Structure formats: structure tokens, C-alpha cells
């Protein structure tokens, strides 16, 4: 059985949904690295100050980010699990994710979290930068219209008012920023398995990852 699994891909590809299910089935720890960038984004936004690189670095220096077994997220000791899921925080997460200091700090934390193995970690740079020696690397994607539709449904279920066309625009902009940034851009690792989930159900994606994790 593969002990360290990395799942990367663009926004709304279903990484966290399938990673969570796989982790439960395998008895592994699920680590949502996007939640960590979101926590930094939320902290910067909540400061109310005008955002520049110096502020982002200052806010990250002594930041405390914790993820528990139930995938709850704590920022400086306060639970922010729901608060980090808004479109504003998505944008802020992608902005802070460009800053080298932030990436270094979170990458270090993520490696520590994976040290004991039996983990499935999802993000943008897990297979390429954070855990280049992962036993299994998945690059999970789907068409942008399908990813926008999924995010729309997710927000609707949470009772958040949303517009499909706006979501598609936001996802496209964030993917572009994440793929084009200088440090650790969103990219498929050479040795990653590409899974296009556009026409696959969650169960099918989970089954495929579990099959790949077995050999
Ligand atoms: O859930 P969704 O796919 O929309 O995003 P997420 O995984 O929560 O990540 C939010 C943002 O954090 C991304 O748009 C990236 O800019 C950044 N991120 C990153 O740079 N590196 C990671 N390993 C994970 C997330």
C-alpha cells in the first residue's frame, strides 16, 4: 500500500472531496493544504489593512495554523473552518500563495505533518515541491465549466448566493494566477497519474485512486 499520496489540481476539481473519502477508507490522515493558504488569506483580509507583500509576511511570521482529524481549521487558536470558504478568501489565498515567505513556512509545516506517513495531502504543489518523494501522485482535473458547476452546487447547498458565470470567471482567473506564479506553480508532476474527472462520479474517482494506492 502506498503510504504517502499527493493529490494536485486546479480549483474545484474535487480534490478535497475525494481525498477525504480515500483517507477514511485507508485509515489515513487527510491534509488540506489549500485550507492553510486560505487561513493566511483570511488573516490578512481580517487585518483591515491595505495588503502588500510586507503585510503578508508580517501576518505569516508567527501564524498558528492547525488542522484536526475532523478537517477543522484553526487560525491562531480560533476555528475558521467555515469562514475560509468564501470567494473573497479564495482570492486572498491565491494572492498570499505567490509570496515566497508564505510558501516556505507552509511547506515546512506540511512536510512535518506528513512525516509519520499514511497521509493523503491535496493542493497545487504537493507532488512537485512539498512531497516530491510521494509514493503515489495524482493530478486531478476537470473541464472549467464542470468545475464551476460543482463549486456553484457546493455554495448553493451551503445557502450562499452565487452566480455560475461569475464562479467560472473567478476559477479561471485563480487557475491562471496559480499556474503562472514564479514559485511552486500549479503543475502536474512528471510522475503523476492524470485523472480527468469531468465525466466521472466521486465514487469512480475514489475507486481509481484506491486501486492505484494498492499496488
Ligand atoms: O478548494 P479550491 O480548489 O478552490 O482551492 P484550495 O485548494 O482551497 O486552495 C486555495 C488557494 O490556495 C489556491 O487557489 C492556491 O492559490 C493556493 N494553494 C497553493 O498555492 N498551494 C497549495 N498547495 C494549496 C493551495
Amino acid at each position: 500500500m502506498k503510504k504517502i499520496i499527493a493529490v494536485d489540481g486546479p480549483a474545484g476539481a474535487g480534490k478535497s472531496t475525494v481525498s477525504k473519502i480515500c483517507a477514511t477508507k485507508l485509515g489515513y490522515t487527510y491534509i488540506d493544504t489549500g485550507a492553510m493558504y486560505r487561513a493566511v488569506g483570511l488573516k490578512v483580509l481580517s487585518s483591515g489593512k491595505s495588503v502588500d507583500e510586507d503585510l503578508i509576511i508580517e501576518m505569516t511570521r508567527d501564524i498558528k495554523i492547525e488542522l484536526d482529524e475532523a478537517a477543522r481549521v484553526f487560525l491562531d487558536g480560533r476555528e475558521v473552518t467555515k469562514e475560509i470558504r468564501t470567494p473573497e478568501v479564495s482570492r486572498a489565498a491565491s494572492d498570499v500563495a505567490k509570496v515566497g515567505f508564505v510558501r516556505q513556512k507552509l511547506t515546512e509545516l506540511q512536510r512535518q505533518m506528513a512525516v509519520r506517513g499514511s497521509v493523503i495531502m491535496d493542493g497545487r504543489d504537493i507532488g512537485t515541491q512539498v512531497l516530491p518523494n510521494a509514493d503515489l501522485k495524482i493530478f486531478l482535473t476537470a473541464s472549467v465549466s464542470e468545475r464551476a458547476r460543482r463549486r456553484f452546487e457546493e455554495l448553493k447547498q451551503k445557502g450562499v448566493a452565487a452566480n455560475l458565470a461569475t464562479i467560472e470567471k473567478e476559477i479561471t482567473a485563480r487557475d491562471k494566477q496559480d499556474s503562472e506564479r514564479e514559485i511552486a506553480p500549479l503543475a502536474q508532476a512528471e510522475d503523476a497519474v492524470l485523472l480527468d474527472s469531468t465525466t466521472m462520479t466521486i465514487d469512480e474517482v475514489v475507486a481509481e485512486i484506491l486501486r492505484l494506492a494498492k499496488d
Side-chain angles (χ1 to χ4, degrees), residues 11-12 15 33 38 94 97 103 124-125 151 174 178 181:
K15 302 180 297 293
T33 66
R38 284 171 181 274
S94 185
R103 300 211 72 84
R124 301 291 186 286
D125 61 338
R151 188 50 49 94
R174 191 146 59 89
D178 289 345
R181 70 178 170 226

Side-chain angles (χ1 to χ4, degrees), residues 7-16 30 32-38 84-85 89-98 103 106-107 110 121-126 130 147 151 154 171 174-175 177-178 181 183-186:
V7 181
D8 290 300
K15 302 180 297 293
S16 62
Y30 165 57
D32 177 356
T33 66
M36 300 169 80
Y37 286 94
R38 284 171 181 274
I84 58 169
R85 298 292 157 194
V89 177
S90 302
R91 266 195 305 276
S94 185
D95 291 341
V96 302
K98 290 194 288 187
R103 300 211 72 84
L106 296 196
T107 298
Q110 290 154 10
M121 187 180 280
D122 81 347
R124 301 291 186 286
D125 61 338
I126 310 307
V130 180
R147 291 188 283 116
R151 188 50 49 94
E154 198 181 313
I171 281 185
R174 191 146 59 89
D175 286 348
Q177 172 155 291
D178 289 345
R181 70 178 170 226
I183 315 166
L186 162 66

Side-chain angles (χ1 to χ4, degrees), residues 26-80:
L26 293 165
Y28 282 16
T29 303
Y30 165 57
I31 302 167
D32 177 356
T33 66
M36 300 169 80
Y37 286 94
R38 284 171 181 274
V40 177
L42 176 65
K43 182 165 181 173
V44 170
L45 276 184
S46 311
S47 74
K49 297 182 185 163
S50 78
V51 180
D52 60 18
E53 192 161 323
D54 288 343
L55 177 76
I56 295 172
I57 292 172
E58 183 195 318
M59 301 253 108
T60 312
R61 194 162 279 126
D62 300 315
I63 200 168
K64 256 183 72 192
I65 301 172
E66 289 148 312
L67 307 178
D68 72 6
E69 319 79 62
R72 285 183 306 189
V73 186
F74 296 84
L75 165 62
D76 294 329
R78 187 172 71 86
E79 193 189 345
V80 295

